[in-house]
Amino acid sequence: MRAVIQRVKAAKVTVLDELVSSVGPGLCVLVGIKASDTAKDVEYLVRKILALRLFEEEGKRWQKSVKDLNLELLCVSQFTLYHRLKGNKPDFSAAMKGEEAQELYNHFLDRLGQSYDSSKIKDGKFGAYMQVHIENDGPVTINLESPEQKDADREVDK
């Protein structure tokens, strides 16, 4: 699993000019799921996202996490994070497909809510053509990817 995490002053998602979700200060997390991802990848990302120290305390940078400061998260599914270029055209065959990806993404949202405060977790609309409006703070952008699992580990997950 891959996440692009941005520290934001505010962020919102709209679909067909309708507001779907919005947050104030916190994080906007773009989430990509590859075909081989499992619940172990979800656990890794949830733990890391909630523990990342991207916020200041008393003028010192990188001291507090979103959880420490009780801030919000806006999560947006984005299969395009798993692409490779074929010439100049992106190929998304590494991304997990539709229904299976939606199940794992929903599990990711559930685990965030269980590990933090579900009222602070906001979401886009899975599979929709969305407009994501981000007021980046810093800017601070962190790329995060779950570690590759060995084949033997993956067999246990199934």
Side-chain angles (χ1 to χ4, degrees):
M1 270 179 106
R2 184 174 287 164
V4 176
I5 303 158
Q6 296 184 308
R7 187 176 70 188
V8 298
K9 294 232 182 244
K12 67 181 180 178
V13 172
T14 59
V15 174
L16 299 173
D17 294 324
E18 296 278 329
L19 181 65
V20 174
S21 293
S22 65
V23 297
L27 299 175
C28 181
V29 182
L30 307 176
V31 180
I33 302 172
K34 73 177 174 213
S36 59
D37 283 338
T38 69
K40 277 189 178 182
D41 298 288
V42 168
E43 294 304 319
Y44 177 85
L45 273 189
V46 166
R47 183 171 43 84
K48 283 297 200 181
I49 289 167
L50 294 177
L52 275 173
R53 293 182 296 171
L54 301 178
F55 298 90
E56 290 185 11
E57 180 185 48
E58 299 173 8
K60 287 181 142 184
R61 291 182 177 185
W62 322 118
Q63 299 299 308
K64 295 288 183 176
S65 70
V66 68
K67 193 172 177 179
D68 293 336
L69 297 175
N70 203 31
L71 301 175
E72 296 177 298
L73 289 97
L74 175 61
C75 299
V76 180
S77 62
Q78 189 171 347
F79 73 91
T80 62
L81 292 179
Y82 277 103
H83 72 279
R84 64 186 178 105
L85 291 179
K86 287 186 169 181
N88 291 323
K89 183 178 177 185
D91 171 69
F92 305 109
S93 60
M96 187 177 283
K97 305 299 180 242
E99 194 173 301
E100 189 181 6
Q102 187 169 10
E103 280 182 32
L104 198 58
Y105 179 71
N106 287 338
H107 178 63
F108 168 76
L109 294 174
D110 290 344
R111 290 296 300 129
L112 274 174
Q114 292 165 8
S115 300
Y116 182 35
D117 174 352
S118 60
S119 71
K120 301 280 186 190
I121 310 301
K122 308 297 182 182
D123 180 26
K125 186 172 181 182
F126 188 92
Y129 185 79
M130 297 176 270
Q131 290 70 51
V132 182
H133 309 265
I134 300 170
E135 186 181 340
N136 206 318
D137 181 22
V140 172
T141 303
I142 301 293
N143 294 320
L144 183 62
E145 184 147 10
S146 57
E148 287 293 322
Q149 295 181 37
K150 297 180 183 123
D151 289 339
D153 292 341
R154 290 201 183 283
E155 290 302 316
V156 172
D157 290 339
K158 290 183 181 177

